[in-house]
Amino acid sequence: MFWANVWTVYAKEVRDALRDRRAVISMFVVPTLVMPLLLLTAGAIMAKVVKKAQDEVSLIAIVGGADSPGVVAALRTDDRIRVVDVAGDFRQAIAEKQVRAAVELSAGFEAALEAGAPASATLHFNEGDMKSGFGVAELERFFRELRDRTVKRRLQERGLPPGLVQPFVLERRNAAPPEQVGGNLFGGIVPYVIVLLCFTGAMYPAIDLTAGEKERGTIETLLCSPVDRTALVIGKFLTVLTASLATMACTLGTMLVCLLLVVPMLPAGPGAGVPALRLDPLGMAGVFVMVLPVAVLFSAVLLAVALFAKTTKEAQTYVSPMAILIVLPAMVGMLPGVELNAKLALIPILNLTLACKEMLSGEWHWPYLALIFASTAAYAGVALAAAVALFKRESVLFRS
Amino acid sequence: MIESRGLTKVFRDRKRGEIRAVDGLSLCVQPGCIYGLLGANGAGKTTALRLLATLLRPTSGSATVGGCDVVAEPGRVRARVGFLAASTALYGRLTARETIEYFGRLHGLDEPLLAQRVARLADELGLHEFLDRRCDKLSTGMKQRTSIARTLVHDPEVMIFDEPTLGLDVMAARAIVRFVRGCRERGKTVIYSTHVMSEAEKLCDTIGIIHNGRLLAEGTLAELRASYCEEDLENIFVSAVGGEAELGAA
């Protein structure tokens, strides 16, 4: 009978929520339509802007170089560079984006090259400007090629082999599997996003099912039924949990699809640096399993907190600061050097973030995972018990 | 039957201290009778009825409703009670049918019986034209009829009405009064709180005057008239509570 009542309450609450325009918008429309649309549009615009900036010939200023006509001429004839004569301060010109970058040639640069004496070229650019980054990258390419040509010429003049300046080949190779690379790159972000989604997904229904019912006067109607109050709370709690998991699944699913569509759109090359998206499916499955007790914890805590409020507005006042509280440990977990240990495994949210990072990298520390699952489940149980206890307190139900 | 003995409810408020909302309430309501609890706003009517409906737990005293103790068997009491108040609202996003079915299921009715009850209540209360319309789209009168159906779906032996006509127009209020009379005719035990004297006069077999949580006078209308030497219930009420000054101070 108890579970039949729980099911009756749950079925009614889910039906009610699905007819609530605001709940449907926050649970399904935003994650499945608005978010992907925003992500795709932003991705497409970004890809277009980056590609355009990359394809454009870079406007460059030359500072000095009056005694180096050959180098200046070579710069002027480079396909990817257009030399602009700047009348005033070249730094100002970079700041005002009249030129992307500037090269400052030391006095007697060309003569020093011929003589084999030391020479220097200083590249000036704006680190906060992507186009300036592209411009300085073109200058680096130009001077790298010039240096290689100079070294080759000097070796030839002395009758020495090219291998003289390259006694061995130094090569960098990734030893980690792609899943581990993906895990390290996204291992911090994924649980952070999941935690936030679980919380925001549970927020609205938790408020609506408790403070909302008080405000609308339906809670008294419900309390008139002979159903045990624990069954009422469990039914409501399961509804909140469903909303939390549904929001998370919808958002993650659509975001994943969007990322897979957007990442190939982004150009490779200087300034782009978008890593390949490769996540271990087993790790992702592990993340979802570990997220379950956290979603339970959030649903129970939110239900208890919102139940305490008289109105939805009051409930929002209590619940909104909690979003910051849950984000903090998730952010700490993203910091480099913070590794999972027995103590941290007991801190909710932080433990999930650290465990997810490991699982997505292909590392499975079973004792820690068991400890995290058990401790979070225990916290969730306590929170649910608190919600049930609050639901039995008339001072909470009939606060005036 | 409803029977209470020394029923007391004390609220503790940080600012106002101890508030005795109901103070030693003893009353008895027989089946087929309407007991009217007459009192001004804040007299303790709602708290008293919430105690009988087990929405609140008494601080002291005892009460039985339909033979079940309100403290020891709250679930059994609620199964025997139909509670209708101005504060018991409907779920706006459910239809009238879904609302009645929901509360029927919560009262443990099986599906065939539930279908039978819904059909009977729709016939009796004239719900057919809006049975499948969402409650937030219903007029006040339609909502009131749906609330009555929700209250009756489990066929309770005891009916508790807490100012059910509050905020209703004349026609809707008359429908409620008719319905309450119908409950008496069907042998149900009815307790009805109001501050409207005419309603109490028209409806109630016994009237209890409550003030500051205490039952100050009780009897049939004739008995009250005789003991206060007054014809008008309003004057009886004012005399019972200690005069207009006392009423204004409360």
Side-chain angles (χ1 to χ4, degrees):
Chain A
M1 196 64 201
F2 177 86
W3 289 107
N5 286 333
V6 168
W7 170 251
T8 301
V9 175
Y10 174 75
K12 176 262 161 192
E13 298 294 5
V14 169
R15 177 186 285 179
D16 202 348
L18 289 174
R19 287 181 188 168
D20 181 2
R21 205 179 300 150
R22 282 175 297 177
V24 170
I25 287 172
S26 73
M27 263 197 295
F28 301 113
V29 179
V30 171
T32 52
L33 289 175
V34 180
M35 286 285 282
L37 207 68
L38 278 174
L39 211 66
L40 281 174
T41 312
I45 291 171
M46 199 174 128
K48 207 174 164 185
V49 168
V50 171
K51 191 163 180 351
K52 196 180 163 213
Q54 262 187 317
D55 290 348
E56 273 175 10
V57 173
S58 294
L59 303 182
I60 299 297
I62 301 174
V63 182
D67 51 5
S68 304
V71 175
V72 172
L75 275 168
R76 286 187 186 277
T77 52
D78 192 289
D79 291 344
R80 304 284 309 139
I81 289 170
R82 190 192 303 158
V83 176
V84 175
D85 295 321
V86 176
D89 181 14
F90 69 89
R91 289 184 184 85
Q92 185 77 16
I94 293 171
E96 289 173 0
K97 299 184 181 176
Q98 291 168 12
V99 290
R100 286 184 173 183
V103 54
E104 188 179 1
L105 297 171
S106 60
F109 181 85
E110 206 168 295
L113 282 191
E114 290 300 320
S120 73
T122 311
L123 306 180
H124 298 270
F125 75 113
N126 178 356
E127 205 161 358
D129 179 18
M130 187 180 67
K131 285 186 177 183
S132 188
F134 290 144
V136 84
E138 292 295 350
L139 282 174
E140 277 173 342
R141 175 198 47 83
F142 175 86
F143 282 97
R144 204 167 38 241
E145 284 170 8
L146 177 63
R147 188 173 53 196
D148 290 349
R149 280 199 307 273
T150 307
V151 169
K152 200 174 168 187
R153 180 173 51 78
R154 284 178 185 173
L155 290 171
Q156 272 174 352
E157 281 169 4
R158 288 166 179 77
L160 297 170
L164 187 76
V165 291
Q166 202 180 3
F168 57 88
V169 175
L170 184 63
E171 208 180 343
R172 223 163 108 161
R173 271 191 197 166
N174 172 32
E179 287 76 16
Q180 197 172 355
V181 179
N184 283 331
L185 285 168
F186 298 104
I189 294 284
V190 168
Y192 173 80
V193 172
I194 289 179
V195 161
L196 207 62
L197 288 172
C198 273
F199 187 82
T200 50
M203 226 166 96
Y204 178 75
I207 292 173
D208 191 61
L209 264 57
T210 51
E213 281 226 32
K214 280 192 202 177
E215 202 170 54
R216 293 188 294 269
T218 48
I219 195 112
E220 202 171 329
T221 317
L222 183 62
L223 293 173
C224 295
S225 69
V227 174
D228 182 66
R229 287 179 187 177
T230 307
L232 295 179
V233 181
I234 303 286
K236 282 175 180 288
F237 156 76
L238 289 175
T239 312
V240 177
L241 182 64
T242 305
S244 168
L245 294 175
T247 307
M248 182 194 67
C250 278
T251 315
L252 273 189
T254 47
M255 276 174 80
L256 207 65
V257 170
C258 287
L259 274 174
L260 292 171
L261 290 172
V262 167
V263 169
M265 276 196 254
L266 297 175
V274 178
L277 184 74
R278 187 92 177 263
L279 288 173
D280 178 16
L282 201 65
M284 280 304 286
V287 169
F288 281 107
V289 171
M290 294 303 285
V291 145
L292 272 174
V294 175
V296 171
L297 177 66
F298 285 164
S299 302
V301 168
L302 283 169
L303 202 68
V305 172
L307 182 65
F308 189 75
K310 273 186 291 186
T311 61
T312 51
K313 214 170 173 181
E314 189 186 336
Q316 277 163 1
T317 314
Y318 297 150
V319 161
S320 300
M322 287 172 64
I324 301 164
L325 275 179
I326 62 130
V327 162
L328 277 175
M331 282 172 79
V332 170
M334 284 165 69
L335 296 174
V338 183
E339 300 291 336
L340 191 57
N341 58 42
K343 274 184 191 167
L344 294 183
L346 295 173
I347 302 174
I349 304 165
L350 174 61
N351 55 13
L352 172 78
T353 315
L354 295 173
C356 289
K357 226 157 80 170
E358 290 199 346
M359 284 188 296
L360 290 172
S361 305
E363 291 174 50
W364 298 79
H365 288 124
W366 292 106
Y368 285 155
L369 293 179
L371 186 60
I372 292 168
F373 195 91
S375 64
T376 314
Y379 300 143
V382 170
L384 192 57
V388 171
L390 275 176
F391 210 80
K392 290 179 177 172
R393 283 181 63 175
E394 52 193 48
S395 59
V396 171
L397 291 172
F398 297 99
R399 262 184 82 202
S400 59
Chain B
M1 185 167 135
I2 301 171
E3 200 172 3
S4 81
R5 290 167 299 276
L7 204 60
T8 301
K9 181 67 184 176
V10 178
F11 293 112
R12 281 170 187 88
D13 186 89
R14 254 183 256 160
K15 286 178 190 163
R16 293 187 289 166
E18 202 174 78
I19 303 155
R20 297 182 83 80
V22 174
D23 193 359
L25 181 75
S26 298
L27 53 81
C28 182
V29 190
Q30 296 293 338
C33 284
I34 300 174
Y35 187 102
L37 207 53
L38 192 63
N41 290 336
K45 305 185 294 290
T46 298
T47 306
L49 297 189
R50 279 178 177 173
L51 288 171
L52 295 174
T54 74
L55 297 178
L56 296 175
R57 232 179 126 85
T59 310
S60 61
S62 63
T64 54
V65 176
C68 302
D69 188 273
V70 293
V71 176
E73 307 157 289
R76 286 166 68 95
V77 169
R78 287 197 292 271
R80 285 160 171 75
V81 165
F83 184 79
L84 184 68
S87 54
T88 48
L90 296 171
Y91 291 101
R93 293 186 289 264
L94 295 190
T95 65
R97 184 195 298 277
E98 286 165 350
T99 303
I100 303 163
E101 284 176 347
Y102 178 49
F103 283 95
R105 285 189 193 106
L106 291 180
H107 277 94
L109 303 186
D110 58 33
E111 293 303 313
L113 181 61
L114 187 57
Q116 212 178 18
R117 289 272 170 88
V118 172
R120 203 188 72 199
L121 287 166
D123 286 340
E124 283 177 10
L125 297 163
L127 309 179
H128 287 290
E129 58 164 318
F130 58 86
L131 201 55
D132 293 308
R133 214 184 292 168
R134 276 170 56 154
C135 289
D136 54 7
K137 308 278 181 214
L138 303 181
S139 69
T140 313
M142 289 170 177
K143 277 183 189 163
Q144 202 54 253
R145 278 188 273 167
T146 308
S147 283
I148 292 170
R150 186 271 300 165
T151 317
L152 288 176
V153 67
H154 57 295
D155 195 20
E157 60 187 273
V158 175
M159 293 296 298
I160 300 177
F161 296 95
D162 184 18
E163 301 195 271
T165 56
L166 197 73
L168 295 183
D169 62 32
V170 181
M171 295 310 289
R174 281 172 70 92
I176 292 280
V177 169
R178 249 196 327 270
F179 165 68
V180 176
R181 281 207 190 98
C183 287
R184 174 172 51 196
E185 283 156 21
R186 276 178 278 177
K188 293 188 189 297
T189 308
V190 180
I191 185 160
Y192 185 101
S193 89
T194 182
H195 63 265
V196 182
M197 307 294 155
S198 57
E199 260 180 21
E201 273 179 328
K202 273 190 281 182
L203 265 177
C204 305
D205 302 304
T206 308
I207 296 171
I209 295 175
I210 186 170
H211 187 63
N212 284 341
R214 278 178 296 168
L215 194 66
L216 300 177
E218 189 186 55
T220 62
L221 187 58
E223 285 166 352
L224 288 173
R225 279 175 177 155
S227 59
Y228 284 89
C229 304
E230 276 283 358
E231 274 303 299
D232 184 49
L233 184 58
E234 194 174 301
N235 290 337
I236 294 171
F237 176 77
V238 173
S239 299
V241 301
E244 278 182 38
E246 168 61 28
L247 204 54

